[in-house]
Amino acid sequence: MSADAQGLLSSTFWISVLSGAVRSGTPVLLAGLGEVLAERSGILNLGVEGAMVMGAAVGFIATAQTGTVLVGLVAAALAGLAISAIHALLCVPLRANQVGSGIAVTIFGLGVSAFIGRPFNGRQVETLHPIALPVLSKIPVLGTVLFEHNGLVYFTYLLVPVIWFLLYKTHFGLSLRMVGESPEAADAMGLPVDRLRFVAVLLGGALAGVGGAYLSLVLAGNWVDGMSAGNGWIAVALVIFAAWDPLRAVLGSYLFGGVLAFTQRVQAVGIGISPFLLGMAPYVFTLLVLVISMRRAEKMTGVPAALGALYSRE
Amino acid sequence: MNSLLQRFPALKPVVLLVLTLASIVAALVLVALFLLMLGKDPLAAYGEMYKAAFGDWFGFSETLVVAIPVLLCACAVALPARLGLFNVGAEGQLYLGAICATAADRYFQHLPGTLPLVSVVVCSFLGGALWGFIPGALRVWFRVNETISTLMLNFVAINLSNYFVFGPWRDQSSGNFVLTAAFATVSRFPMIPGTRIHLGLVLGLLAGLTLFLVLRFTVWGYRIRMIGDNPKVGRYAGFNVNWTVLLVMAVAGGIAGWAGGGEVAAIQGRLRPGISPGFGYTGFLVAWLARHNELAIPAYAVLVGGLLLGGDVLQISLGLPQATVNIVQGVVFFFILGSEWWLQRRVLDHIPAQPEPLSSTAPQSPGAAA
């Protein structure tokens, strides 16, 4: 047996892949949770890609200028929120085509982020340190996989149940799902359809912004033009796989993160596969996931009936 | 998507033209305010851009050079749009065209006569067609939304292109530069002497005109338009909707593949990383500006080509990043999308709409479902 293959079979290799799955899946999970909110209200937001790239740039700039990561994260959330406001404005009151608007927001976001990020090309900031949680990180295997991460990962651990609770157990969540299911009925019941959709898209954009900042502040430590690299669109695809359920979004994102982590670790072990062929893996994986999710689409319960449809009161 | 004019035949194309131009002007004004805030002189910036792009024959010829891939990609977006499909994958289809054109040069350059050139043209079309066919097939057989699949395939294609350039096709004699060997003279697209305007322009105009004629005057085109209006009606009429989707996506991809062929076989003369600064996405915008009308696409492609070319000048003369052009493109797109609301409210209220196609108030186009 070759040394390479032995490296692939060792348990440390697989533990590091699992830990990497959580680490690399988190930005997509953040954006995906945001997209769940937006799509549950009936608005397809392909602009999450633009919100992520804005979050990556603004988060990096704010951190580099102030030296405080928290400021960077808040700034990234606001940037994601601001750019998503354009999508909300076009799609909600102006009833523009949601695919067109999402692409437009992404083109705009790529432009603005490259514009404002240019003076910061080549600058470095210290990436967010992992913090081993006391007691929990001592659990064998699981401790390393789940509880030796940076603060943002723990934040998403909390965020997932919060969003689940918000969607299924609160009045706001019920209204949101109703608006996505049947805006006519929601309107007839006196729910503010447009306002709910607006709020959902803005919240989703803020989360995508934080997800973008994760790319620059946790995974890279620098800013590169267009560094979102399709992560926002992958998040949209994973929402379909997750059947619009925040809990299943966790599964999808970590699976995706696992593929990323696996390809990176395989390279580290020193197997001679072109990095570019490995670089295709996340996108091909996402396509496969879509194929599988659509095969069982008949059984899907989560798809908001009015997703992407125009609604105007007549 | 394409139904504004179909549903409202009395809506004059001139109204759309005025609205589109107004949107572009509004976007330029907004970006000018942004530049003012940064302490740059917007009039000087736009002046420089205009001079560079349309000021003299050389500038205009360079504008046309940039307009060629934009025109081809826009056609690749507009054709599937007739079926209600969103092809956001022209970028990837362009890259596949470039890869296959390079392969054609590598393996067929010793063929006699014009065969090397013909093989480059044919292979770049086939490469793009494959990259259009895949999302078509995923849509038809697995009901995967083509918006997401075309976007994913863009990233796959760029990685694939890099794989060849950095890997098996890398020209070792060029030292630290990462590129493939130069195309043989016989494989290159012919150009107008003194300019870089190449065969791609002919292919683009021909593609646009052919699509227009086919859609307008043939049974095949009639089917596409009918299915686009309402796929159910198309099915009842006995049309094979699946086959049409596959064919349309493949042809569209092939046209975008020519854009890649032109970049490697004329402009760069070889495959290298980053041959496209996002022509596929710009093509998406241009198709929308032209409202998916094949005859209007060339004009808007030249206009936006000038904008892209002007972006280079901004960088040199005013120190503004190239990205400014992307910002302008985004804002133009915002105004176009926003103005469609105005159309629906103000204009269409006064024009009697044709009855909605059968049964539903919101016709379920094949592109609408997530």
Side-chain angles (χ1 to χ4, degrees), chain A residues 136-295:
Chain A
L136 287 174
S137 62
K138 297 285 181 281
I139 307 170
V141 185
L142 269 190
T144 318
V145 172
L146 293 178
F147 301 113
E148 283 179 14
H149 287 288
N150 60 79
L152 265 178
V153 171
Y154 301 135
F155 170 71
T156 52
Y157 288 173
L158 296 177
L159 191 66
V160 170
V162 166
I163 292 201
W164 179 85
F165 186 83
L166 191 74
L167 267 180
Y168 296 104
K169 300 292 167 191
T170 66
H171 185 256
F172 171 75
L174 179 66
S175 312
L176 205 67
R177 286 184 294 135
M178 182 142 196
V179 163
E181 210 56 50
S182 168
E184 296 83 2
D187 202 1
M189 285 179 61
L191 290 175
V193 176
D194 281 8
R195 208 185 313 157
L196 282 164
R197 289 182 159 183
F198 223 103
V199 170
V201 173
L202 291 189
L203 279 178
L207 287 178
V210 177
Y214 192 102
L215 299 174
S216 58
L217 296 178
V218 177
L219 295 182
N222 58 16
W223 157 253
V224 184
D225 284 5
M227 75 186 300
S228 54
N231 273 281
W233 287 320
I234 287 169
V236 175
L238 290 179
V239 168
I240 300 173
F241 167 78
W244 294 268
D245 178 341
L247 300 182
R248 292 180 56 170
V250 178
L251 181 69
S253 308
Y254 288 172
L255 259 177
F256 170 79
V259 171
L260 266 185
F262 180 75
T263 53
Q264 286 158 1
R265 302 294 188 285
V266 160
Q267 267 178 288
V269 170
I271 287 180
I273 304 176
S274 158
F276 300 107
L277 291 182
L278 289 173
M280 294 178 202
Y283 310 104
V284 174
F285 168 79
T286 306
L287 280 174
L288 288 177
V289 156
L290 275 177
V291 168
I292 294 162
S293 352
M294 295 320 284
R295 291 218 74 146

Side-chain angles (χ1 to χ4, degrees), chain B:
Chain B
M1 198 158 59
N2 60 320
S3 56
L4 270 180
L5 272 174
Q6 280 170 12
R7 274 175 43 215
F8 302 95
L11 183 59
K12 297 227 164 40
V14 68
V15 176
L16 287 180
L17 179 69
V18 170
L19 210 58
T20 307
L21 293 180
S23 298
I24 294 172
V25 170
L28 289 177
V29 170
L30 198 70
V31 174
L33 290 177
F34 172 70
L35 292 180
L36 265 182
M37 268 165 34
L38 292 172
K40 308 272 183 187
D41 181 357
L43 287 181
Y46 289 156
E48 292 280 344
M49 283 172 80
Y50 177 81
K51 257 200 330 214
F54 301 105
D56 53 27
W57 162 240
F58 174 74
F60 184 65
S61 81
E62 282 298 291
T63 294
L64 286 183
V65 168
V66 180
I68 290 169
V70 174
L71 161 65
L72 285 159
C73 289
C75 286
V77 176
L79 173 63
R82 294 278 168 161
L83 278 179
L85 296 173
F86 294 97
N87 178 16
V88 207
E91 185 80 0
Q93 291 146 12
L94 178 154
Y95 269 94
L96 254 285
I99 293 169
C100 291
T102 311
D105 168 63
R106 291 180 77 85
Y107 300 113
F108 302 131
Q109 57 170 268
H110 301 298
L111 293 182
T114 55
L115 280 178
L117 174 63
V118 171
S119 66
V120 167
V121 172
V122 170
C123 289
S124 54
F125 184 89
L126 290 178
L130 171 72
W131 230 237
F133 178 83
I134 295 172
L138 288 174
R139 151 130 231 136
V140 165
W141 289 312
F142 299 101
R143 282 178 298 129
V144 171
N145 179 289
E146 78 289 346
T147 311
I148 301 287
S149 60
T150 49
L151 282 167
M152 289 298 108
L153 285 171
N154 288 343
F155 293 95
V156 177
I158 291 169
N159 271 300
L160 191 64
S161 166
N162 280 336
Y163 163 72
F164 283 113
V165 179
F166 283 85
W169 290 353
R170 181 165 178 180
D171 181 18
Q172 299 301 342
S173 65
S174 52
N176 285 330
F177 294 104
V178 180
L179 24 87
T180 65
F183 271 50
T185 319
V186 280
S187 308
R188 288 179 191 245
F189 278 14
M191 297 193 198
I192 296 181
T195 73
R196 300 197 296 163
I197 302 170
H198 56 84
L199 179 64
L201 184 63
V202 179
L203 294 173
L205 293 174
L206 215 59
L209 190 65
T210 310
L211 290 181
F212 174 78
L213 294 175
V214 165
L215 285 166
R216 186 87 187 249
F217 297 112
T218 68
V219 179
W220 199 68
Y222 175 69
R223 282 181 191 187
I224 290 178
R225 284 183 291 139
M226 189 158 181
I227 294 170
D229 276 355
N230 191 329
K232 277 188 198 144
V233 178
R235 263 193 200 103
Y236 293 141
F239 301 156
N240 191 333
V241 176
N242 286 355
W243 174 235
T244 313
V245 167
L246 288 173
L247 196 60
V248 159
M249 284 301 290
V251 169
I255 295 173
W258 277 338
E263 291 311 292
V264 291
I267 303 303
Q268 307 283 351
R270 48 171 40 99
L271 187 60
R272 62 194 323 163
I275 51 164
S276 162
F279 288 132
Y281 301 104
T282 301
F284 191 81
L285 165 67
V286 166
W288 212 287
L289 284 177
R291 287 178 167 89
H292 308 102
N293 176 341
E294 288 76 12
L295 287 188
I297 284 175
Y300 287 113
V302 170
L303 196 65
V304 174
L307 180 71
L308 290 183
L309 187 74
D312 294 335
V313 182
L314 284 186
Q315 199 165 5
I316 298 160
S317 64
L318 291 165
L320 283 168
Q322 175 78 36
T324 315
V325 175
N326 271 359
I327 302 179
V328 178
Q329 286 189 59
V331 179
V332 168
F333 212 155
F334 293 152
F335 275 100
I336 288 290
L337 290 161
S339 69
E340 280 173 6
W341 169 80
W342 184 85
L343 253 186
Q344 311 222 355
R345 290 275 133 167
R346 302 292 144 115
V347 183
L348 304 185
D349 281 353
H350 306 291
I351 299 172
Q354 293 209 322
E356 289 284 347
L358 274 189
S359 72
S360 68
T361 45
Q364 195 67 34
S365 72

Side-chain angles (χ1 to χ4, degrees), chain A residues 9-10 17 22 59 70 80 84 88 97 122 124 133 146 151-152 192 194 212 214 234 252 254 259 261 281 289 296 304:
Chain A
L9 286 175
S10 74
V17 167
V22 174
L70 199 62
S84 302
N97 181 290
Q124 287 280 332
L133 291 188
L146 293 178
L152 265 178
D194 281 8
Y214 192 102
I234 287 169
Y254 288 172
V259 171
V289 156
R296 54 174 172 74

Side-chain angles (χ1 to χ4, degrees), chain A residues 10-64:
Chain A
S10 74
S11 65
T12 44
F13 175 83
W14 285 104
I15 289 175
S16 95
V17 167
L18 289 177
S19 163
V22 174
R23 186 177 137 88
S24 315
T26 297
V28 177
L29 176 57
L30 281 162
L33 289 172
E35 185 69 10
V36 165
L37 286 178
E39 292 196 14
R40 279 285 180 158
S41 81
I43 302 291
L44 173 70
N45 185 4
L46 287 178
V48 280
E49 176 74 11
M52 276 190 103
V53 80
M54 281 299 289
V58 171
F60 183 81
I61 292 169
T63 306

